[in-house]
C-alpha cells in the first residue's frame, strides 16, 4: 500500500518533465524572433539618439565659440567648420567649407563632390556667405541624397548662427570704432579749445594790449605838450590805432562765430569765409553758394558752416593746393555741400581710421558732425589729383 502510493506519486513526474520539455521546445523559436526584433528596434533608437546627440553637441559648441568676443572672427569661423564633420552621419568621409566676405574656411580634405549639402545666408548689412558639407564617397540614400533630414535642419541652423554672429561682431567692431573716435575727438576738442584760448590770450595781450598802451602814451603826450602840431600827430596816430584795433577785434569775433551767419544766412557766411581764407593763403577760390530756404534748424546751419570751416582749414594746412572750390545748394531732401581742391590728395581709407594723428581728426570730425544729423558723407581723393568731399544734411521736418 505504501509502495503503490509512492509509485502513484512518482509516475507523473517524467510526464511533467516531458511536457515541460516539449512546451519549451515549441516556445523557443518565437521568443528568439521577438528578442531579435526588440534588439533591432533598440539598436535603431540608439543610433538615432547618437546622431541627435552629435548634432546637439555641434550646435552647443558652436554657440560657445560664438560667445568669445576676444578671439578673431576668422579663428572662430575656422573652429566652427572643424565641428561639422563629427556631427554628420558618416564623419569618416565628411568635409566642410564656410565661405563669407571673400574668405574661405575649408577642412583639410574638402573638395566638391556629387554628394553635397549647402546652405546660403545673407547678413543684414548685405554680406553673403555659404556653408557646404560634402561626402568624399557614396553613401546610402536618405531624405536628401545621402544626407538626413535632421542634417538639413542642422546646416540651416549653423548658417543662420553664422549670419547672426557676423552681424553682432560687425556691430561690436563699429561700436568700438565709434567709441575710439569719440575719445579721439574729445581729446582733439579739448586741445583746440586750449589753443583757441591761448591764441585769444596772445591776441588780447600782444595786439589789443599793446594798442591800448600806445593809445595811453599818445594821450599822455597830448596832455603834456602845448604844441598843436605834436598834438595833431598824436591824435592821428591814436585814430589809426583805434581803427586797427576795432578791425582786429572784429576779426577775432568773426573767427569765433561770424555774425553774418545769424544776420545774413549760411550762403553769405560761406562766401565771406572762403573768400577771406583764400585771400589770406594766396590761393584761388570759387564759391557757388545759394541761399537756403527754411528747412534747416539753427544747429544744422551752424554744423554746415563748421564743416566748411574744417574742410577749408584742412585744405590750407595739408593739401598744398593752388585752388579750392565750395558749392552749397539746396536739393529735394536737404542741403548739398561740396568742397574740392587740386592738392596732393591722400588715401581716404587710411585717414578715416582712428589715429592719434591730429591731421586725421579733422575729417573724422566732419564725418561725426554729418552723422549727428543723419546726413550722408562721401570723400574721394587720389594722390597728386586732389580731393572732393561731399556732404548732405537733410532738412528738419520740424522746422
Amino acid at each position: 500500500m505504501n509502495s503503490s502510493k509512492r509509485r502513484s506519486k512518482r509516475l507523473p513526474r517524467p510526464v511533467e518533465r516531458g511536457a515541460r520539455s516539449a512546451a519549451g521546445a515549441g516556445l523557443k523559436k518565437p521568443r528568439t524572433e521577438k528578442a531579435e526584433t526588440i534588439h533591432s528596434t533598440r539598436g535603431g533608437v540608439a543610433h538615432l539618439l547618437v546622431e541627435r546627440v552629435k548634432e546637439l553637441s555641434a550646435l552647443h559648441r558652436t554657440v560657445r565659440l560664438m560667445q568669445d568676443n576676444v578671439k578673431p572672427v576668422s579663428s572662430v569661423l575656422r573652429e566652427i567648420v572643424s565641428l561639422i564633420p563629427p556631427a554628420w552621419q558618416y564623419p569618416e568621409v565628411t568635409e566642410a567649407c564656410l565661405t563669407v566676405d571673400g574668405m574661405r574656411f575649408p577642412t583639410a580634405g574638402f573638395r566638391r563632390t556629387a554628394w553635397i549639402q549647402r546652405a546660403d545666408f545673407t547678413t543684414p548689412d548685405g554680406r553673403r556667405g555659404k556653408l557646404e558639407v560634402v561626402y568624399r564617397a557614396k553613401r546610402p540614400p536618405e531624405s536628401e541624397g545621402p544626407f538626413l533630414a535632421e542634417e538639413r535642419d542642422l546646416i540651416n541652423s549653423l548658417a543662420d548662427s553664422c549670419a547672426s554672429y557676423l552681424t553682432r561682431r560687425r556691430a561690436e567692431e563699429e561700436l568700438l570704432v565709434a567709441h575710439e573716435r569719440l575719445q579721439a575727438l574729445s581729446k582733439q576738442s579739448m586741445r583746440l579749445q586750449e589753443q583757441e584760448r591761448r591764441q585769444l590770450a596772445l591776441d588780447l595781450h600782444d595786439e589789443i594790449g599793446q594798442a591800448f598802451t600806445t593809445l595811453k602814451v599818445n594821450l599822455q603826450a597830448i596832455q603834456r605838450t602845448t604844441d598843436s602840431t605834436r598834438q595833431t600827430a598824436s591824435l592821428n596816430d591814436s585814430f589809426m590805432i583805434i581803427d586797427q584795433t576795432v578791425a582786429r577785434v572784429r576779426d577775432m569775433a568773426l573767427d569765433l562765430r561770424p555774425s553774418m551767419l545769424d544776420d545774413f544766412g549760411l550762403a553769405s557766411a560761406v562766401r565771406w569765409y572762403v573768400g577771406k581764407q583764400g585771400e589770406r593763403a594766396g590761393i584761388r577760390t570759387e564759391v557757388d553758394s545759394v541761399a537756403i530756404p527754411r528747412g534747416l534748424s539753427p544747429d544744422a546751419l551752424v554744423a554746415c558752416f563748421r564743416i566748411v570751416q574744417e574742410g577749408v582749414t584742412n585744405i590750407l594746412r595739408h593739401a598744398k593746393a593752388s585752388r579750392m572750390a565750395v558749392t552749397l545748394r539746396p536739393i529735394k531732401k536737404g542741403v548739398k555741400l561740396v568742397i574740392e581742391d587740386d592738392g596732393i590728395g591722400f588715401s581716404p581709407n587710411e585717414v578715416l581710421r582712428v589715429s592719434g594723428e591730429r591731421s586725421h581728426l579733422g575729417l573724422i570730425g566732419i564725418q561725426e558732425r554729418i552723422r549727428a544729423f543723419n546726413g550722408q558723407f562721401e570723400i574721394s581723393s587720389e594722390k597728386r589729383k586732389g580731393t572732393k568731399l561731399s556732404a548732405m544734411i537733410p532738412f528738419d521736418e520740424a522746422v
Side-chain angles (χ1 to χ4, degrees), residues 314-354:
N314 284 341
I315 292 172
L316 299 181
R317 285 180 180 174
H318 312 295
K320 298 180 182 178
S322 61
R323 169 190 166 273
M324 65 177 174
V326 176
T327 302
L328 176 72
R329 285 188 170 275
I331 57 176
K332 184 177 181 180
K333 296 182 179 180
V335 174
K336 182 70 176 291
L337 181 60
V338 180
I339 305 171
E340 301 176 83
D341 67 74
D342 61 354
I344 58 176
F346 55 88
S347 171
N349 291 333
E350 293 179 4
V351 169
L352 290 175
R353 291 174 188 161
V354 174

Side-chain angles (χ1 to χ4, degrees), residues 290-303:
V290 179
I292 306 300
R294 291 178 58 84
L296 285 183
S297 66
D299 289 341
L301 287 170
V302 173

Side-chain angles (χ1 to χ4, degrees), residues 12 28 52 65 70 98 111 117 165 172 186 228 240 262 276 283 299 311 340 348 354:
K28 184 176 182 180
R52 299 299 83 76
L65 279 171
V70 177
L98 174 63
R111 59 183 176 84
Q117 196 173 37
Y165 169 72
E172 289 172 352
S186 177
S228 60
M240 183 181 67
D262 301 313
K276 175 186 173 185
I283 67 173
D299 289 341
E340 301 176 83
V354 174

Side-chain angles (χ1 to χ4, degrees), residues 210-212 214-215 218 236-246:
Q210 288 182 10
F212 280 114
T214 305
L215 281 174
N218 287 344
N236 290 335
D237 185 49
S238 298
F239 291 143
M240 183 181 67
I241 291 171
I242 290 172
D243 290 340
Q244 291 174 348
T245 303
V246 169

Side-chain angles (χ1 to χ4, degrees), residues 78-119:
R78 192 173 288 108
E79 290 186 40
I80 289 172
V81 172
S82 70
L83 298 175
I84 292 176
W88 257 247
Q89 187 173 200
Y90 303 105
E92 68 279 3
V93 295
T94 303
E95 304 289 346
C97 180
L98 174 63
T99 305
V100 62
D101 261 359
M103 299 182 293
R104 193 167 176 268
F105 306 96
T107 53
F110 178 82
R111 59 183 176 84
R112 287 186 175 84
T113 67
W115 310 286
I116 184 168
Q117 196 173 37
R118 169 174 167 171

